[in-house]
Amino acid sequence: MPSLPLAPGATLGVLGGGQLGRMLALAAARLGFDTVILDPEPDSPAARVAAHAIVAAYDDEAALAELAAHAQVATYEFENVPVAAVDRLRALGVEVAPGPRALAVAQDRFDEKTFLNGAGVATVAFAAADSPEGAVEAVGRVGAPALMKTRREGYDGKGQRWVEHAADAAAVFQALGGAPVIVEAPAAFARELSVIAARGRDGAIAVYPLAENHHAQGVLRRSLAPARVSAAAAAQAERIAVRILTGLDYVGVIGVELFELADGGLLVNEFAPRVHNTGHWTQDGCAVDQFEQHIRAIAGWPLGPTDAVRGVEMLNLLGHEAHDWARYAAEPDSRLHLYGKRDAKPGRKMGHVNRLRPL
């Protein structure tokens, strides 16, 4: 295993070549690190700003060995990386953070909610099913209407459907592909919030101010941060983050999506074991953003400050919206972040803009 903390000049591995990997590589470069990207797609956004790129499947043995030859520490930019790939890198002497347990828990929505409840973190009521008959029973236990989701994979609203009546559950189960599902009770929430937090190798924890998030068709459109929340809600969000981070023996940045109820209480919707879209505001709203914070944590460096220095409205740019780059670039209080993706497909995240506001 490498000697920590890593000194500048070391190489970090990133599994995943999308926009999060790109922004991690840019943050690593500011701190003097090189990065090597492993991604199945040639010409990935992250590969074009990294020192090295490996084009192969995540479970390719030769590719993992090549990454291990370059990198002392590795991380991942999305949670559908095979756990076996992380285990293989660790066997090759590469320290991977966050660790395989966080990845495995986050990959299964039922395991995730079971872990959260076991850590003393509240969620909506839920039940699992792996057959049409089981789906009907699960909806009967949770109550209709209910949200049915595939237990694994699925993102940005994909892999989930509402079940309006228990009698519809079997058909919805089949429409989702007949894979194991989780059935969740609806949350009567007032708004959606999120908290970005980090845990270092020494166990130190740093928590960013909350963001208020607005979605459309299951995709995040904008975040407002710092969110206007009560001191009690902020303290509860911090407690939630601490319980998750310590319960997973976590190293790195995590994103936790929250439902704020009418009485001010918070429920956890889900967490992502990585840097998170709702934390992009920190790039221009905090002295140390989530990407640098993640690099600091996995490299064994001290965590940086998380106080907000500016208010931010973060807007995701989807598809052809990124073609308005000149307009955003002309706004004096806007900071444009484009991901270098070649094709502006409808609904595809092409970039974001942070509009600065007073605190």
Side-chain angles (χ1 to χ4, degrees):
M1 289 296 177
S3 175
L4 297 171
L6 287 184
T11 298
L12 306 176
V14 180
L15 300 174
Q19 66 264 24
L20 299 181
R22 181 185 180 97
M23 288 182 277
L24 285 170
L26 292 171
R30 290 200 309 271
L31 299 182
F33 296 113
D34 285 343
T35 52
V36 54
I37 304 297
L38 172 58
D39 192 273
E41 298 296 325
D43 195 40
S44 69
R48 297 201 304 276
V49 300
H52 308 282
I54 303 168
V55 180
Y58 297 118
D59 58 358
D60 185 290
E61 289 280 339
L64 292 170
E66 183 180 353
L67 188 148
H70 285 288
Q72 291 78 56
V73 170
T75 190
Y76 40 88
E77 67 142 14
F78 74 119
E79 54 267 44
N80 288 327
V81 169
V83 175
V86 171
D87 289 337
R88 181 59 183 155
L89 285 174
R90 287 163 58 89
L92 291 167
V94 179
E95 181 67 27
V96 183
R101 181 166 182 245
L103 187 63
V105 169
Q107 285 181 352
D108 186 302
R109 290 186 172 93
F110 180 77
D111 291 346
E112 178 184 36
K113 281 191 164 52
T114 301
F115 160 77
L116 290 169
N117 288 178
V121 175
T123 66
V124 297
F126 62 95
D130 56 10
S131 68
E133 297 77 17
V136 173
E137 181 184 348
V139 173
R141 291 204 307 271
V142 169
L147 187 59
M148 187 180 297
K149 302 177 181 178
T150 54
R151 283 180 60 165
R152 302 181 70 85
E153 300 185 343
Y155 61 94
D156 287 344
K158 300 177 177 64
Q160 61 185 52
R161 292 194 181 187
W162 281 98
V163 181
E164 297 298 332
H165 307 283
D168 302 329
V172 173
F173 177 85
Q174 298 289 16
L176 288 173
V181 297
I182 182 173
V183 175
E184 299 176 357
F189 60 91
R191 57 177 174 167
E192 296 182 51
L193 301 170
S194 61
V195 61
I196 306 297
R199 184 172 182 265
R201 294 193 178 276
D202 60 356
I205 291 176
V207 181
Y208 287 91
L210 276 69
E212 176 182 328
N213 306 308
H214 299 264
H215 294 76
Q217 285 80 54
V219 179
L220 179 70
R221 293 313 315 253
R222 68 180 187 132
S223 294
L224 303 172
R228 306 300 181 191
V229 298
S230 67
Q236 184 182 358
E238 182 167 345
R239 288 194 300 272
I240 287 169
V242 168
R243 287 178 177 177
I244 295 172
L245 291 169
T246 55
L248 292 170
D249 194 21
Y250 195 93
V251 172
V253 163
I254 196 168
V256 184
E257 297 179 9
L258 304 164
F259 294 136
E260 183 183 43
L261 307 180
D263 63 2
L266 300 176
L267 299 178
V268 171
N269 178 29
E270 61 184 19
F271 69 84
R274 54 172 171 80
V275 288
H276 198 255
N277 197 169
T278 65
H280 291 353
W281 72 272
T282 63
Q283 289 175 297
D284 300 292
C286 298
V288 171
D289 66 41
Q290 66 166 343
F291 299 99
E292 179 180 331
Q293 194 78 285
H294 190 75
I295 299 301
R296 283 170 171 256
I298 68 173
W301 287 26
L303 299 182
T306 55
D307 296 335
V309 297
R310 295 292 299 270
V312 175
E313 178 188 28
M314 189 282 297
L315 302 173
N316 267 337
L317 301 178
L318 306 181
H320 293 290
E321 292 172 356
H323 292 171
D324 286 337
W325 58 266
R327 175 167 65 88
Y328 294 118
E331 296 176 358
D333 289 329
S334 291
R335 304 292 180 265
L336 183 62
H337 301 263
L338 296 175
Y339 304 152
K341 295 181 179 180
R342 302 301 192 191
D343 300 319
K345 300 175 183 177
R348 191 182 194 193
K349 292 176 182 175
M350 301 298 294
H352 65 273
V353 60
N354 284 333
R355 287 179 164 150
L356 307 182
R357 310 182 305 167
L359 282 173

